[in-house]
Each structure stands twice: as C-alpha cells, then as structure tokens.
Amino acid sequence: MHLPLDRAIGVPIFRQIYDGLRRAILDGRLRPGQRIPSTRSLAADLGVSRLPVLTAYEQLLHEGYLVGRTGSGTFVTRDIPDHLLRSRAIGRLTPQSRPGAGTRAAPNQPSPASWSFPVVPFQIGLPALDLFPHAAWAKLVAREVRAETPERLAYGDPAGLRSLRVAIAEHLRTSRAVRCVADQILIVPGSQAALRLAAATLLERNDRVALEEPGYFGAHRAFRAAAAQLVPVPVDADGLNVAALQRRGASIRAVYVTPSHQYPLGMTMSASRRFALLDWAARHQAWILEDDYDSEFRYISRPVGSLQGMDARDRVIYMGTFSKALFPAVRVGYVVVPPPLWTRFLESRFAFDIFAPTLYQRSLAEFLKTGHFARHLRRMRSAYLERRDALLRGLERHCGDLVEVHNSDAGLHVTVLLREGLDDQEVAARLGRRGLAAIPLSNSYVGPVRKQGLLLGFGCAAPQRLHAATRILSDVLRERA
Ligand SMILES: Cc1ncc(COP(=O)(O)O)c(C=O)c1O
C-alpha cells in the first residue's frame, strides 16, 4: 500500500500514516468493508517500526474509521457517516504525494460528475453573481447574436478574436503593468485551459514542475494531467521561498506562482522574492507560470503590478481570467505569451480545440470597449470591501477565539487557520450539511498537510448572509472543540 511519508517535515510518522489512511478511506481508495494490511506488514512496506503504525490504527479504530475482528484482521468500517464521505464532493481534490518526488497519478480525485458548486456563503472562487449587470450584458449578447453572418459562424482565429485581444492587452498594460501587445495574447476557455496549454507546450512527460505549497488544486490537476512531476515548494509571508526552490535542484523546468495574491494563503510576493525568482528562471532557463486570477480586487494597499511586467528576459507566461471579474460560466481566459514562444503556443492552441467560441468573445470585447467592464470593476470593489468586512466582523464577533484570519487584503476569499486538533475536512463537511461551502485548506497540499484551515469565499453572498454564516461556523467549531 502506498502512503507518502516524509521524515524531514516535523510531522510525526504515526500522524502521517493516520492522515494517509484516513484520506484513503474518505476518498474511496479504501472501500467500506475492505481488509487493510496488518500492522506488521504495513510497517515493513513503509520501512518504519510497528509502533507508529499501531498508534495510527488505534486512533482510526477509536474514531470508527476501522473495525477490528478478532482473529481475522482489521477492516474499513461499513458505517462511515455520510457527511464525512460527502466531503469528497466538496473537495478532497489533491492526492498526497511525497514532496519532491512528484506524482503523475490522480487516484483520489472525484469524477467530474461529483463536482458541485452551489452559490452559498463561503463558496470559493465565485464573484458577486447577484450584482452582475445582466441587463447590459444580455443586450450586448443579443446584439451579437443578431449580427451573426455566415462568416461569423465559420471557424475563428485560434489566437482569439482580434478586437478582444486588443482590449485585453490595453487593460493589462494599464491596470496590471503587464508588458504586452495584442499579438502576444491568446484567448482560452479560462485559466485552467491556460495551465493545460502551457503544460502541453512547455513540458515533456516527467518534467519537474515546482508549485507553491500550499497551492492551487486546479494547478495540481493540470500538471498531473500533463504527466509532470509535482515539486512542492513552501511559501512564507513573502510568497514562494526561492531559496527552497533553488535547493530543489537545477532540473526544474517550470514554476507555477500566484504572486499578486497567493492561493490559498493570500499574501503578496515581495519585490526581492520576485527579482530572485526571475533571476533563478533566467539562470536555469526555466519558465515561470504566473496566475493572476483575482488581483483586480485589493482592499488595503495599492494594486501590485504583475511579475511579468518586471521580467526583461521573456521567462514569464502570464495568465488571467474573467471568471472572477465577470462570472465563471463565461469561460474566457487569456495567456500573454513571450514572443519567442508564440508559434509553439499557437500550434498547441490549435491542437487543443482550434479556437474558443466566438459569441461571448464578441460580447466581451464590446463590454470592455464600451466601459461596462471598468464600471463593473469599480462597483465590485466597493461591494467586495463591504462583503469582506461583514465576514471579518462576523469572524471576530462569533469565532474570534476559534480561528486565526490569515490574510484578507485582496481577492474574494479569506483563509482562516483552525485551532490545533480540529480537522478541516470534517469541519467543511459539517458546514456543508448546514448549507455552507468552505473548502478545507488541507486540499491545497501536494505533500503532507501542515496546517488545518478553511477557505471562506465572500464574493457570492450578501453581507448579512455572510455575517449569519459566521454564527453557524462558530456553532460547528464549538461542537468540535
Ligand atoms: C488560483 C486560481 N487560478 C485560476 C482560477 C480560475 O480558473 P478559471 O479561469 O479556469 O475559471 C481560480 C478559481 O478559483 C483560482 O483560484
């Protein structure tokens, strides 16, 4: 049985075994009623003494995940509470793997059919869908539908609609300090597609890709799907630890980062780290994949520019999305490609799906050109400030002694850390039963989980609902404390 263990991280071995087995049970790799190896044989498999295995088994027996039958061994219980299993749907998205060793398999990811994304308080990644200017958007889309001609219904440019690329380039230059022209912009169906495209274009099978740890589960999935080896690199208050990245060796081909607003912990990468990262990439001829997914929204300090704008050596591939600034179902994202890579990216872009649907591209180009987009962003900034403040006030009032707010300067979610001993998967599952949708922080780890916490989205719910939701969170946490 494969359980990733790492002696270097300070998490006791029995805890790593316990976590690994519990995960395997919850995400269905170990099935109800299945017999698990004896402590002696698992200890031998893992190359550890029997004591930590016994301790882990005892804990799992005590918590009811395992049952022992005298004389016939130890089995996964047939009565795992539904709410624990349901946590899979919310998001046991990231298989654990040994840090540094990487992994290609994704054995415990839920099937797409299990993906559910209700618009409820704390749902991560959703903007204020209730405040979207539907009437203006509907008018633009209807106008574009009426204007369809045989030419417009034929195949489109794999790079994307020219007028949209021009509008995006202008927006990125002025608001994100991205150095670009329209000829560098490729339109793709969201940043997930941008990640897949970058991986397909730049990586070979088994290439090593460094990622922030904890980091974005969508990126984990994209690189796993590309058969890359995932190399987690820790983050701290200044963002990705570049010294740790350097220690991972010279063979790293690419590094994925969220420098403007680290996903999930929320800090901004410091200027000195940015320079160090750019320097590292240039020296190693490695690529930097910059995911700038939600930095239109900053509440405290001035907007920070992109990492791409600081890069003079064409190492950064910048990607962005309209999923947060507008709505995810629009499925429009973009890649800013360094000129030397343009032809390769365009080839891959064609290979994937030739081109992205043009109706929304046209509507979006108009939305940007006619000023609707800038107006919408302005309105959303103040709406999100209000929503964030309602959430923070509620957290302080109802959960002040129970959670530590990690960072709340930007974006559409706040990450909170849970008190020692609380299990974020279980808390998230209980919140799910109460109609809320927090994502457990532990989903963001490629390697062993170091912190338990929750990602609390505040974009899609009105302030009063968020405040009320913190009361439910407090109840749930107190039940568990
Ligand atoms: C870090 C990060 N990148 C990208 C995205 C957006 O992905 P997409 O554009 O595919 O909707 C998200 C959405 O939650 C995200 O959290």
Side-chain angles (χ1 to χ4, degrees):
M1 169 162 196
H2 176 69
L3 283 179
L5 299 181
D6 186 341
R7 290 168 201 282
I9 57 164
V11 177
I13 292 296
F14 83 83
R15 177 79 211 192
Q16 295 188 41
I17 297 170
Y18 163 86
D19 281 341
L21 287 171
R22 191 172 160 283
R23 254 175 203 233
I25 294 169
L26 288 179
D27 61 34
R29 278 174 294 147
L30 287 174
R31 308 212 155 273
Q34 182 177 339
R35 184 196 186 119
I36 61 163
S38 70
T39 51
R40 194 181 304 280
S41 98
L42 185 61
D45 273 3
L46 298 176
V48 299
S49 75
R50 241 181 108 199
L51 187 62
V53 183
L54 270 170
T55 313
Y57 276 35
E58 266 165 24
Q59 185 64 26
L60 290 162
L61 283 160
H62 175 71
E63 290 176 10
Y65 290 96
L66 298 180
V67 288
R69 285 187 217 137
T70 323
S72 57
T74 309
F75 297 80
V76 177
T77 179
R78 293 191 185 276
D79 311 313
I80 300 172
D82 276 356
H83 71 271
L84 288 180
L85 286 174
R86 259 204 298 276
S87 71
R88 290 161 60 193
I90 298 178
R92 172 54 73 195
L93 297 177
T94 53
Q96 277 202 337
S97 64
R98 196 189 304 268
T103 175
R104 273 174 285 134
N108 58 350
Q109 295 184 356
S111 71
S114 71
W115 183 264
S116 87
F117 230 92
V119 184
V120 294
F122 300 162
Q123 184 64 270
I124 186 86
L126 286 186
L129 302 169
D130 52 328
L131 300 179
F132 184 69
H134 291 283
W137 177 252
K139 223 160 132 179
L140 285 178
V141 176
R143 205 168 69 199
E144 293 305 323
V145 173
R146 281 196 300 272
E148 300 283 32
T149 59
E151 287 69 31
R152 282 186 171 206
L153 295 178
Y155 283 89
D157 185 344
L161 194 76
R162 180 86 202 161
S163 57
L164 179 59
R165 296 162 63 213
V166 169
I168 290 174
E170 187 178 325
H171 166 66
L172 294 179
R173 280 194 303 267
T174 52
S175 70
R176 305 294 311 122
V178 172
R179 288 199 254 196
C180 67
V181 292
D183 288 340
Q184 285 171 265
I185 311 265
L186 270 182
I187 305 294
V188 289
S191 23
Q192 193 62 28
L195 283 166
R196 290 284 282 129
L197 179 68
T201 311
L202 302 175
L203 302 176
E204 310 256 330
R205 196 174 183 78
N206 285 329
D207 272 355
R208 299 174 78 217
V209 179
L211 312 103
E212 296 164 328
E213 176 88 330
Y216 178 45
F217 58 79
H220 301 165
R221 292 183 141 197
F223 296 122
R224 283 195 176 105
Q229 289 191 46
L230 276 57
V231 181
V233 177
V235 295
D236 58 26
D238 287 326
L240 184 90
N241 184 333
V242 180
L245 171 66
Q246 262 151 2
R247 287 195 294 275
R248 299 289 188 271
S251 63
I252 303 238
R253 292 288 301 140
V255 54
Y256 166 82
V257 281
T258 48
S260 301
H261 185 224
Q262 202 271 335
Y263 182 100
L265 295 178
M267 55 281 187
T268 304
M269 188 185 269
S270 66
S272 57
R273 285 280 171 86
R274 288 172 184 237
F275 286 120
L277 182 60
L278 290 168
D279 190 52
W280 169 86
R283 276 190 290 113
H284 291 87
Q285 297 288 293
W287 304 109
I288 299 172
L289 308 178
E290 176 178 15
D291 182 357
D292 203 16
Y293 61 108
D294 70 357
S295 41
E296 283 93 355
F297 307 114
R298 272 196 100 74
Y299 312 109
I300 307 243
S301 48
R302 286 190 312 118
V304 283
S306 63
L307 179 64
Q308 193 268 9
M310 302 165 71
D311 172 28
R313 288 172 284 191
D314 285 338
R315 302 317 301 178
V316 178
I317 291 94
Y318 176 95
M319 37 196 89
T321 178
F322 285 98
S323 288
K324 316 292 153 188
L326 294 186
F327 56 95
V330 73
R331 297 323 288 147
V332 178
Y334 43 85
V335 188
V336 180
V337 182
L341 292 176
W342 177 256
T343 313
R344 279 169 67 190
F345 264 83
L346 198 59
E347 264 305 310
S348 298
R349 176 76 197 79
F350 187 97
F352 264 108
D353 56 356
I354 308 183
F355 72 112
T358 41
L359 176 60
Y360 269 7
Q361 290 192 58
R362 288 186 199 286
S363 315
L364 189 48
E366 285 302 303
F367 197 76
L368 275 118
K369 275 199 287 189
T370 49
H372 282 298
F373 183 63
R375 214 164 21 250
H376 180 57
L377 284 187
R378 273 199 302 278
R379 285 184 56 222
M380 288 307 96
R381 280 188 195 111
S382 56
Y384 291 141
L385 183 60
E386 208 187 324
R387 290 178 180 202
R388 182 203 69 150
D389 287 351
L391 172 60
L392 293 180
R393 269 198 307 277
L395 286 174
E396 196 179 328
R397 172 133 184 224
H398 301 299
C399 315
D401 54 332
L402 297 166
V403 299
E404 183 192 327
V405 176
H406 199 269
N407 200 306
S408 59
D409 296 356
L412 302 180
H413 75 268
V414 165
T415 295
V416 297
L417 302 182
L418 298 181
R419 284 216 310 233
E420 187 77 17
L422 282 176
D423 179 315
D424 57 11
Q425 297 289 330
E426 197 187 332
V427 172
R430 280 171 180 265
L431 286 172
R433 286 207 294 174
R434 306 276 301 262
L436 304 173
I439 292 254
L441 176 60
S442 55
N443 283 355
S444 303
Y445 287 85
V446 168
V449 174
R450 283 161 192 255
K451 287 180 179 150
Q452 300 280 321
L454 295 171
L455 279 61
L456 304 176
F458 58 79
C460 73
Q464 310 83 294
R465 288 188 73 202
L466 287 164
H467 195 89
T470 57
R471 220 172 303 134
I472 298 176
L473 175 62
S474 149
D475 289 349
V476 166
L477 292 173
R478 277 176 222 285
E479 280 162 23
R480 301 309 302 151

